[in-house]
């Protein structure tokens, strides 16, 4: 028999700011998908990416809302708070990307050959996508741990949210590497690819361990120390990659510091190399901020009274 003595349905899934944010996510996600499939349309790799992002986030929101409303999440061997804030942060990044990519490639000031209705629907899709970004961002803001509050999960902290952003930026780097980046030409660029893959694996490992409640001890050390050690290693590796990649891609001895005039738009290896270089610096900054914040959290927690909860 079920030992739960309260109501089977969770009324807070509806009657709470968090529930309202999730209902907005569902409504806006449904509106975006309906308008895109009805009239707005999508085509090419960029359109497929945007549609896949919206559909994936909508399906994830439906599942999260259903499990929360029915309290079935209590039967899952996961940390529900860590899982939901991770999903919300990832969906926010996906929606931000789709909200930039879709109007950039599909919204024009003039009416397309299909008529002005198509343009108007595409503008409406962009607006709903931006509002969806705000809805997912609101969930992250509501779940984020604040100073002086009891931390219910590592992923709700700034350090945990930075882990999600780091993994997302790494996916952008992998996409640029796969798009004619010619990274296999030199041993230096191959080293950088290994660094990106290794750091992404470490970041994913920390997230998975947190969501699966495997945070008691790792390699005979506390989980927070393990996270700091991994972050320091990632900072050093990304620092080296941020130096090595531009040298082997833009130095005149190995490549070109300027974009070749004969390079086709959208299919130029030089463009992919620039994307990798820029986001390498971005991720290095994210890992450095993560390391600094992790040290701050460690310092504060070490001076808290022994009977306090953190």
């Amino acid at each position: 028999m079920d030992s739960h003595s309260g109501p089977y349905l969770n009324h807070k899934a509806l009657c709470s700011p968090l529930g309202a944010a999730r209902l907005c996510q569902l409504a806006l996600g449904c509106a975006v998908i309906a308008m895109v499939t009805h009239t707005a349309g999508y085509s090419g790799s960029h359109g497929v990416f945007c549609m896949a992002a919206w559909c994936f986030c909508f399906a994830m929101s439906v599942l999260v809302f259903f499990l929360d409303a029915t309290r079935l999440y209590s039967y899952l061997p996961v940390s529900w708070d860590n899982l939901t804030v991770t999903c919300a942060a990832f969906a926010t990044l996906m929606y931000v990307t789709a909200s930039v990519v879709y109007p950039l490639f599909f919204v024009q000031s003039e009416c397309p050959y299909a008529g002005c209705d198509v343009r108007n629907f595409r503008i409406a899709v962009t607006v709903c996508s931006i509002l969806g970004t705000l809805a997912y961002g609101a969930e992250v803001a509501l779940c984020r741990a604040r100073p002086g509050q009891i931390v219910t999960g590592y992923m709700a902290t700034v350090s945990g949210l930075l882990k999600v952003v780091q993994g997302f930026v790494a996916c952008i780097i992998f996409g640029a590497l796969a798009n004619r980046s010619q990274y296999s030409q030199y041993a230096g660029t191959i080293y950088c690819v290994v660094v990106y893959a290794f750091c992404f694996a470490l970041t994913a490992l920390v997230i998975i361990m947190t969501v699966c409640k495997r945070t008691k001890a790792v390699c005979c050390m506390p989980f927070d120390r393990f996270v700091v050690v991994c972050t320091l290693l990632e900072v050093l590796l990304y620092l080296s990659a941020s130096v090595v990649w531009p040298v082997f891609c833009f130095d005149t001895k190995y490549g070109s510091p300027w974009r070749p005039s004969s390079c086709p738009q959208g299919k130029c290896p030089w463009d992919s190399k620039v994307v990798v270089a820029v986001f390498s610096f971005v991720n290095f900054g994210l890992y450095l901020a993560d390391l600094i914040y992790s040290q701050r959290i460690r310092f504060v927690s070490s001076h808290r009274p022994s009977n306090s909860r953190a």
Side-chain angles (χ1 to χ4, degrees):
M1 295 180 63
D2 193 352
S3 60
H4 189 271
S5 57
Y8 290 108
L9 295 180
N10 182 13
H11 70 279
K12 290 185 178 180
L14 292 173
C15 305
S16 68
L18 183 59
R22 289 174 177 168
L23 286 176
C24 289
Q25 296 165 12
L26 294 175
L28 292 168
C30 185
V32 167
I33 295 172
M35 287 189 291
V36 171
T37 56
H38 175 62
T39 302
Y42 65 98
S43 60
S45 58
H46 300 95
V48 171
F49 165 78
C50 293
M51 191 60 175
W54 290 323
C55 291
F56 176 79
C57 294
F58 179 73
M60 185 170 57
S61 297
V62 170
L63 183 61
V64 168
F65 181 80
F66 178 79
L67 292 175
D68 189 31
T70 58
R71 302 181 191 270
L72 291 177
Y73 65 84
S74 59
Y75 295 95
L76 300 177
V78 297
S79 174
W80 182 247
D81 293 329
N82 283 314
L83 178 62
T84 53
V85 72
T86 301
C87 292
F90 181 74
T92 302
L93 297 172
M94 294 287 286
Y95 258 77
V96 167
T97 307
S99 299
V100 174
V101 172
Y102 190 81
L104 186 64
F105 288 92
F106 294 95
V107 177
Q108 301 175 354
S109 58
E110 298 84 8
C111 295
Y113 66 90
C116 292
D117 288 342
V118 175
R119 183 198 61 181
N120 296 336
F121 268 95
R122 289 177 177 177
I123 294 175
V125 167
T126 303
V127 172
C128 288
S129 183
I130 294 173
L131 294 177
T133 303
L134 298 177
Y136 283 107
E139 180 176 352
V140 175
L142 290 171
C143 297
R144 185 177 67 86
R146 293 171 176 80
Q149 291 183 341
I150 296 176
V151 179
T152 58
Y154 169 75
M155 298 306 300
T157 64
V158 173
S159 181
L161 295 175
L162 283 173
K163 287 285 186 288
V164 180
V165 182
Q166 293 158 8
F168 186 79
V169 172
C171 291
I172 297 177
I173 293 176
F174 293 145
L177 288 172
N179 186 27
R180 303 179 177 86
S181 64
Q182 300 176 346
Y183 64 86
S184 59
Q185 284 186 336
Y186 305 105
T189 52
I190 294 176
Y191 162 79
C192 294
V193 174
V194 173
V195 168
Y196 301 142
F198 178 75
C199 292
F200 176 77
L202 272 183
T203 301
L205 177 64
V206 171
I207 295 176
I208 293 173
M209 290 176 61
T210 305
V211 171
C212 295
K213 299 188 289 187
R214 307 292 184 183
T215 59
K216 291 185 178 180
V218 182
C219 298
C220 301
M221 68 176 70
F223 179 73
D224 54 352
R225 179 181 290 273
F226 172 76
V227 172
V228 171
V229 170
C230 290
T231 306
L232 176 59
L233 179 61
E234 290 162 337
V235 167
L236 297 176
L237 290 174
Y238 255 93
L239 176 60
S240 64
S242 299
V243 174
V244 172
W245 181 268
V247 169
F248 280 87
C249 291
F250 307 116
D251 186 81
T252 55
K253 181 179 178 180
Y254 304 101
S256 173
W258 311 107
R259 190 179 191 275
S261 57
S262 60
C263 216
Q265 190 70 28
K267 298 181 180 180
C268 184
W270 194 87
D271 295 341
S272 298
K273 294 176 182 178
V274 171
V275 172
V276 173
V278 170
F279 282 98
S280 294
F281 283 106
V282 170
N283 235 4
F284 169 70
L286 292 173
Y287 279 113
L288 184 61
D290 188 3
L291 180 63
I292 294 173
Y293 190 84
S294 299
Q295 289 299 305
R296 178 174 175 269
I297 290 295
R298 180 65 181 172
F299 176 79
V300 172
S301 63
S302 62
H303 287 77
R304 295 177 68 91
S306 59
N307 59 350
S308 63
R309 297 175 62 187

